Amino acid sequence: MTTLHETAADIRERAILVSLVTDEMKRAGVDPEYSLRELVALAETAGVEVLTAVTQHREAPDPRFFLGKGKVEELRAVAQELGATTAIFDQELSGAQVRNLEEGLDLKIIDRTQLILDIFAGRAKTREGIIQVELAQLSYLLPRLAGHGKNLSRLGGGIGTRGPGETKLETDRRHIRERIADLKRQLKEVVRHRSVQRERRRKTGVTQVALVGYTNAGKSTLLRELTNADVYVENQLFATLDSTSRAWTLPDGTEVVLTDTVGFIQNLPHELVAAFRSTLEEAAEADLILHVVDSSSPYREEQMAVVDRILTELGAGDRPRIVLYNKIDLCTNEELHLLRRDGDALLVSAFSASDREAIGRAVQDKLTGEIRSFAIPAARGDLIALAHRMGEVVEQSVSDDGETMRIAVRLNKREYEVSGYKLQPYAL
């Protein structure tokens, strides 16, 4: 039997997608059709051939089979008729439900969380990314060991790294717990190193701008086009996982650091949110967030809501932000008319030089504040240096007696908020 985390390079799975619409989902306003379409995209991203989709409406999930028993029989017949090898469920399943469904359907059973974890496992390239994904996979696996039955035998292969991780972890809870502890120690060290780098940038007065958005909104494309970065770009979900930072020169010559973060998705597994918290915190630490939206998506409002919710969870909900409606070259005139109603947002195409120039100017305007003037004692070199770090010095002169330095600064709002209080006694 093949392993759960084998990808299209190993075998071409033929899958039936399964969605259960419950009363709770209806009350919560969840759009099951949108979620199912997203599951199709996830499956195709993982190299799966989607044969058909089956939906059942129930008051609540069945504790044993998730679906009703009659629906399980119907699904088995459909699978046999189409030659399916896998059933992918749009909701998260318990270990016991996976075991019962596998025995009842004679198919490999995968849920939405497992599918996303598998995609992440294939995309992580850096040491930090690989550690984070393996930690998320093991955290997901540990509470499900008892329930997986024969399905368990395929969960061990390829967990996380598909190399060093290929051991019989499923047979030993203690082994998994030790591995999780070890990964957390490794990740803690990586996070410490990232924090040191972040603090070093902060001390040198480097302004940080973060690209955030729903997966496949075009963040990596924008990073490449704005900074000439050599980053992987593809029209697929989670094309890149590892955050990438590059220097970006704004139209006025100011240099900032632009960071691309991992894309968001609705029902992003909480194991992944926890594991990738250090990476996602790049957004919380940024001086400015560029929220990139796929303007051509019919579900852009739902996607924007997901991004807003996750940013709030990360403590970045109040960070200064510019919304970029990307991919406007794919929009109809009617769609563009609707988007223009959001007067605070920019309508852009990453491939348009004039649009990229407009993004740079908008970032300049957002980062720079009012011009403030200071009269600083010429002997206070520390305060004069601080004034230069506070933003762009637009005018500078020395008093006739040589004892006072007059400096006019177009303030960087974030820098002034952090340490500008030292200059306040010298403000004019």
Side-chain angles (χ1 to χ4, degrees), residues 57-94:
H57 293 259
R58 277 179 63 93
E59 183 177 340
D62 180 81
R64 293 189 61 215
F65 292 98
F66 192 70
L67 303 173
K69 196 168 183 180
K71 201 67 176 181
V72 172
E73 293 299 323
E74 177 187 331
L75 187 57
R76 181 184 178 94
V78 172
Q80 290 175 344
E81 179 183 350
L82 298 179
T85 60
T86 306
I88 303 178
F89 284 71
D90 197 24
Q91 292 82 16
E92 192 169 294
L93 304 173
S94 68

Short mmCIF file of all heavy atoms in Angstrom, two decimals, residues 57-94:
data_model
loop_
_atom_site.label_atom_id
_atom_site.label_comp_id
_atom_site.label_asym_id
_atom_site.label_seq_id
_atom_site.Cartn_x
_atom_site.Cartn_y
_atom_site.Cartn_z
N HIS A 57 -25.99 16.27 3.01
CA HIS A 57 -26.50 17.22 3.99
C HIS A 57 -27.01 16.42 5.20
O HIS A 57 -27.85 15.53 5.06
CB HIS A 57 -27.65 18.04 3.40
CG HIS A 57 -27.19 18.97 2.30
ND1 HIS A 57 -26.99 20.32 2.50
CD2 HIS A 57 -26.90 18.72 0.99
CE1 HIS A 57 -26.59 20.87 1.37
NE2 HIS A 57 -26.53 19.93 0.43
N ARG A 58 -26.46 16.72 6.36
CA ARG A 58 -26.87 16.05 7.60
C ARG A 58 -26.92 17.08 8.72
O ARG A 58 -26.26 18.11 8.68
CB ARG A 58 -25.86 14.97 8.00
CG ARG A 58 -26.04 13.63 7.31
CD ARG A 58 -24.95 12.67 7.78
NE ARG A 58 -25.04 12.40 9.20
CZ ARG A 58 -25.71 11.37 9.73
NH1 ARG A 58 -26.34 10.51 8.94
NH2 ARG A 58 -25.73 11.19 11.03
N GLU A 59 -27.70 16.75 9.74
CA GLU A 59 -27.77 17.64 10.90
C GLU A 59 -26.42 17.75 11.58
O GLU A 59 -26.00 18.82 12.00
CB GLU A 59 -28.83 17.12 11.89
CG GLU A 59 -29.02 18.03 13.09
CD GLU A 59 -30.12 17.53 14.01
OE1 GLU A 59 -30.97 16.73 13.57
OE2 GLU A 59 -30.13 17.95 15.19
N ALA A 60 -25.72 16.60 11.67
CA ALA A 60 -24.40 16.57 12.31
C ALA A 60 -23.64 15.37 11.75
O ALA A 60 -24.24 14.42 11.22
CB ALA A 60 -24.53 16.45 13.83
N PRO A 61 -22.30 15.35 11.86
CA PRO A 61 -21.53 14.21 11.37
C PRO A 61 -21.85 12.94 12.14
O PRO A 61 -22.17 12.98 13.34
CB PRO A 61 -20.08 14.63 11.61
CG PRO A 61 -20.11 16.12 11.75
CD PRO A 61 -21.44 16.43 12.36
N ASP A 62 -21.79 11.81 11.46
CA ASP A 62 -21.96 10.52 12.13
C ASP A 62 -20.68 10.22 12.91
O ASP A 62 -19.58 10.32 12.36
CB ASP A 62 -22.20 9.42 11.08
CG ASP A 62 -22.38 8.06 11.73
OD1 ASP A 62 -23.50 7.77 12.20
OD2 ASP A 62 -21.40 7.29 11.78
N PRO A 63 -20.78 9.85 14.19
CA PRO A 63 -19.57 9.63 15.01
C PRO A 63 -18.66 8.53 14.45
O PRO A 63 -17.45 8.61 14.58
CB PRO A 63 -20.13 9.23 16.38
CG PRO A 63 -21.52 9.78 16.40
CD PRO A 63 -22.01 9.70 14.99
N ARG A 64 -19.29 7.50 13.80
CA ARG A 64 -18.49 6.36 13.33
C ARG A 64 -17.94 6.56 11.93
O ARG A 64 -16.77 6.34 11.66
CB ARG A 64 -19.31 5.08 13.38
CG ARG A 64 -19.68 4.62 14.78
CD ARG A 64 -20.30 3.23 14.73
NE ARG A 64 -19.35 2.25 14.17
CZ ARG A 64 -19.72 1.23 13.40
NH1 ARG A 64 -20.99 1.07 13.07
NH2 ARG A 64 -18.82 0.38 12.97
N PHE A 65 -18.79 6.98 11.00
CA PHE A 65 -18.40 7.04 9.59
C PHE A 65 -18.36 8.47 9.03
O PHE A 65 -18.10 8.64 7.85
CB PHE A 65 -19.38 6.22 8.75
CG PHE A 65 -19.29 4.74 8.99
CD1 PHE A 65 -20.18 4.11 9.83
CD2 PHE A 65 -18.30 3.99 8.37
CE1 PHE A 65 -20.09 2.74 10.06
CE2 PHE A 65 -18.21 2.62 8.58
CZ PHE A 65 -19.11 2.00 9.44
N PHE A 66 -18.64 9.46 9.88
CA PHE A 66 -18.71 10.86 9.44
C PHE A 66 -19.93 11.07 8.55
O PHE A 66 -20.72 11.95 8.77
CB PHE A 66 -17.42 11.28 8.71
CG PHE A 66 -17.32 12.75 8.49
CD1 PHE A 66 -17.12 13.62 9.55
CD2 PHE A 66 -17.44 13.29 7.22
CE1 PHE A 66 -17.02 14.99 9.35
CE2 PHE A 66 -17.35 14.66 7.01
CZ PHE A 66 -17.15 15.50 8.09
N LEU A 67 -20.08 10.23 7.50
CA LEU A 67 -21.26 10.25 6.64
C LEU A 67 -22.30 9.29 7.18
O LEU A 67 -22.01 8.44 8.04
CB LEU A 67 -20.88 9.83 5.22
CG LEU A 67 -19.80 10.64 4.50
CD1 LEU A 67 -19.46 9.96 3.18
CD2 LEU A 67 -20.26 12.06 4.26
N GLY A 68 -23.52 9.38 6.65
CA GLY A 68 -24.53 8.39 6.97
C GLY A 68 -24.15 7.05 6.35
O GLY A 68 -23.46 6.99 5.33
N LYS A 69 -24.63 5.97 6.94
CA LYS A 69 -24.25 4.64 6.45
C LYS A 69 -24.69 4.42 5.01
O LYS A 69 -23.99 3.82 4.19
CB LYS A 69 -24.87 3.57 7.35
CG LYS A 69 -24.24 2.20 7.17
CD LYS A 69 -24.67 1.25 8.27
CE LYS A 69 -23.97 -0.09 8.12
NZ LYS A 69 -24.37 -1.05 9.19
N GLY A 70 -25.87 4.93 4.65
CA GLY A 70 -26.35 4.79 3.28
C GLY A 70 -25.46 5.54 2.29
O GLY A 70 -25.20 5.07 1.18
N LYS A 71 -24.99 6.69 2.72
CA LYS A 71 -24.10 7.49 1.85
C LYS A 71 -22.77 6.79 1.66
O LYS A 71 -22.15 6.88 0.59
CB LYS A 71 -23.89 8.87 2.46
CG LYS A 71 -23.43 9.92 1.45
CD LYS A 71 -24.53 10.22 0.44
CE LYS A 71 -24.16 11.33 -0.51
NZ LYS A 71 -25.25 11.62 -1.47
N VAL A 72 -22.31 6.09 2.69
CA VAL A 72 -21.06 5.33 2.57
C VAL A 72 -21.21 4.25 1.50
O VAL A 72 -20.31 4.05 0.67
CB VAL A 72 -20.67 4.70 3.93
CG1 VAL A 72 -19.48 3.75 3.76
CG2 VAL A 72 -20.33 5.80 4.94
N GLU A 73 -22.36 3.55 1.50
CA GLU A 73 -22.60 2.53 0.48
C GLU A 73 -22.66 3.14 -0.91
O GLU A 73 -22.11 2.59 -1.88
CB GLU A 73 -23.91 1.79 0.79
CG GLU A 73 -23.87 0.95 2.05
CD GLU A 73 -22.81 -0.15 1.97
OE1 GLU A 73 -22.64 -0.71 0.86
OE2 GLU A 73 -22.15 -0.40 2.99
N GLU A 74 -23.31 4.29 -1.02
CA GLU A 74 -23.38 4.98 -2.31
C GLU A 74 -21.99 5.39 -2.78
O GLU A 74 -21.65 5.24 -3.96
CB GLU A 74 -24.27 6.22 -2.17
CG GLU A 74 -24.37 7.06 -3.44
CD GLU A 74 -25.12 8.36 -3.21
OE1 GLU A 74 -26.00 8.40 -2.32
OE2 GLU A 74 -24.82 9.34 -3.93
N LEU A 75 -21.19 5.88 -1.85
CA LEU A 75 -19.84 6.32 -2.20
C LEU A 75 -18.98 5.13 -2.64
O LEU A 75 -18.19 5.25 -3.58
CB LEU A 75 -19.20 7.01 -0.98
CG LEU A 75 -17.84 7.68 -1.17
CD1 LEU A 75 -17.91 8.74 -2.27
CD2 LEU A 75 -17.38 8.32 0.14
N ARG A 76 -19.17 4.00 -2.00
CA ARG A 76 -18.42 2.80 -2.38
C ARG A 76 -18.75 2.39 -3.82
O ARG A 76 -17.86 2.06 -4.61
CB ARG A 76 -18.74 1.66 -1.41
CG ARG A 76 -17.98 0.36 -1.71
CD ARG A 76 -18.42 -0.76 -0.77
NE ARG A 76 -17.74 -2.00 -1.06
CZ ARG A 76 -16.62 -2.40 -0.47
NH1 ARG A 76 -16.09 -1.65 0.49
NH2 ARG A 76 -16.04 -3.53 -0.79
N ALA A 77 -20.03 2.44 -4.17
CA ALA A 77 -20.45 2.07 -5.53
C ALA A 77 -19.87 3.03 -6.56
O ALA A 77 -19.40 2.62 -7.63
CB ALA A 77 -21.98 2.05 -5.61
N VAL A 78 -19.90 4.33 -6.26
CA VAL A 78 -19.35 5.33 -7.18
C VAL A 78 -17.86 5.12 -7.37
O VAL A 78 -17.32 5.19 -8.48
CB VAL A 78 -19.64 6.76 -6.66
CG1 VAL A 78 -18.90 7.80 -7.51
CG2 VAL A 78 -21.13 7.04 -6.65
N ALA A 79 -17.17 4.82 -6.28
CA ALA A 79 -15.72 4.61 -6.34
C ALA A 79 -15.38 3.41 -7.21
O ALA A 79 -14.43 3.44 -8.02
CB ALA A 79 -15.16 4.43 -4.93
N GLN A 80 -16.14 2.32 -7.05
CA GLN A 80 -15.89 1.13 -7.86
C GLN A 80 -16.17 1.39 -9.33
O GLN A 80 -15.42 0.95 -10.22
CB GLN A 80 -16.75 -0.03 -7.35
CG GLN A 80 -16.31 -0.55 -5.98
CD GLN A 80 -17.25 -1.63 -5.45
OE1 GLN A 80 -18.38 -1.78 -5.92
NE2 GLN A 80 -16.78 -2.38 -4.45
N GLU A 81 -17.22 2.16 -9.60
CA GLU A 81 -17.59 2.44 -10.99
C GLU A 81 -16.53 3.31 -11.68
O GLU A 81 -16.21 3.08 -12.85
CB GLU A 81 -18.94 3.16 -11.02
CG GLU A 81 -19.40 3.52 -12.43
CD GLU A 81 -20.70 4.31 -12.42
OE1 GLU A 81 -21.35 4.40 -11.35
OE2 GLU A 81 -21.08 4.84 -13.49
N LEU A 82 -15.96 4.28 -10.95
CA LEU A 82 -15.01 5.21 -11.54
C LEU A 82 -13.55 4.76 -11.42
O LEU A 82 -12.66 5.36 -12.01
CB LEU A 82 -15.16 6.59 -10.90
CG LEU A 82 -16.52 7.28 -11.08
CD1 LEU A 82 -16.53 8.63 -10.36
CD2 LEU A 82 -16.84 7.47 -12.55
N GLY A 83 -13.33 3.73 -10.63
CA GLY A 83 -11.96 3.26 -10.43
C GLY A 83 -11.15 4.17 -9.52
O GLY A 83 -9.95 4.37 -9.73
N ALA A 84 -11.79 4.74 -8.51
CA ALA A 84 -11.12 5.65 -7.58
C ALA A 84 -10.19 4.88 -6.65
O ALA A 84 -10.45 3.72 -6.30
CB ALA A 84 -12.14 6.43 -6.77
N THR A 85 -9.11 5.52 -6.26
CA THR A 85 -8.18 4.92 -5.30
C THR A 85 -8.22 5.64 -3.95
O THR A 85 -7.72 5.11 -2.96
CB THR A 85 -6.73 5.01 -5.83
OG1 THR A 85 -6.38 6.39 -6.04
CG2 THR A 85 -6.59 4.25 -7.14
N THR A 86 -8.82 6.84 -3.94
CA THR A 86 -8.75 7.69 -2.76
C THR A 86 -10.06 8.46 -2.58
O THR A 86 -10.71 8.81 -3.57
CB THR A 86 -7.60 8.71 -2.90
OG1 THR A 86 -6.39 8.01 -3.19
CG2 THR A 86 -7.42 9.53 -1.63
N ALA A 87 -10.42 8.71 -1.33
CA ALA A 87 -11.52 9.62 -1.01
C ALA A 87 -10.94 10.74 -0.16
O ALA A 87 -10.30 10.49 0.86
CB ALA A 87 -12.63 8.91 -0.26
N ILE A 88 -11.14 11.98 -0.61
CA ILE A 88 -10.62 13.14 0.11
C ILE A 88 -11.79 13.90 0.70
O ILE A 88 -12.68 14.37 -0.02
CB ILE A 88 -9.81 14.05 -0.82
CG1 ILE A 88 -8.67 13.27 -1.47
CG2 ILE A 88 -9.26 15.24 -0.04
CD1 ILE A 88 -7.85 14.10 -2.45
N PHE A 89 -11.80 14.04 2.02
CA PHE A 89 -12.89 14.69 2.73
C PHE A 89 -12.55 16.16 2.99
O PHE A 89 -11.41 16.50 3.34
CB PHE A 89 -13.17 13.97 4.05
CG PHE A 89 -13.91 12.68 3.88
CD1 PHE A 89 -13.28 11.56 3.32
CD2 PHE A 89 -15.24 12.56 4.25
CE1 PHE A 89 -13.96 10.37 3.14
CE2 PHE A 89 -15.93 11.38 4.08
CZ PHE A 89 -15.29 10.27 3.52
N ASP A 90 -13.56 17.03 2.84
CA ASP A 90 -13.35 18.46 2.97
C ASP A 90 -13.27 18.91 4.42
O ASP A 90 -12.95 20.06 4.69
CB ASP A 90 -14.47 19.22 2.25
CG ASP A 90 -14.10 20.68 2.00
OD1 ASP A 90 -12.90 20.97 1.95
OD2 ASP A 90 -15.01 21.52 1.86
N GLN A 91 -13.60 18.01 5.34
CA GLN A 91 -13.51 18.35 6.76
C GLN A 91 -12.48 17.43 7.42
O GLN A 91 -12.05 16.44 6.85
CB GLN A 91 -14.87 18.19 7.45
CG GLN A 91 -15.92 19.21 7.02
CD GLN A 91 -16.62 18.85 5.71
OE1 GLN A 91 -16.55 17.71 5.26
NE2 GLN A 91 -17.29 19.82 5.10
N GLU A 92 -12.13 17.79 8.66
CA GLU A 92 -11.15 16.99 9.40
C GLU A 92 -11.83 15.78 10.02
O GLU A 92 -12.92 15.87 10.59
CB GLU A 92 -10.51 17.85 10.48
CG GLU A 92 -9.29 17.22 11.13
CD GLU A 92 -8.53 18.20 12.01
OE1 GLU A 92 -7.97 19.18 11.48
OE2 GLU A 92 -8.52 17.98 13.24
N LEU A 93 -11.18 14.62 9.89
CA LEU A 93 -11.71 13.36 10.41
C LEU A 93 -10.93 12.91 11.63
O LEU A 93 -9.75 13.22 11.78
CB LEU A 93 -11.62 12.27 9.34
CG LEU A 93 -12.30 12.54 7.99
CD1 LEU A 93 -11.96 11.43 7.00
CD2 LEU A 93 -13.80 12.68 8.15
N SER A 94 -11.60 12.15 12.49
CA SER A 94 -10.90 11.53 13.61
C SER A 94 -10.22 10.24 13.13
O SER A 94 -10.53 9.72 12.05
CB SER A 94 -11.88 11.19 14.73
OG SER A 94 -12.75 10.13 14.32
#
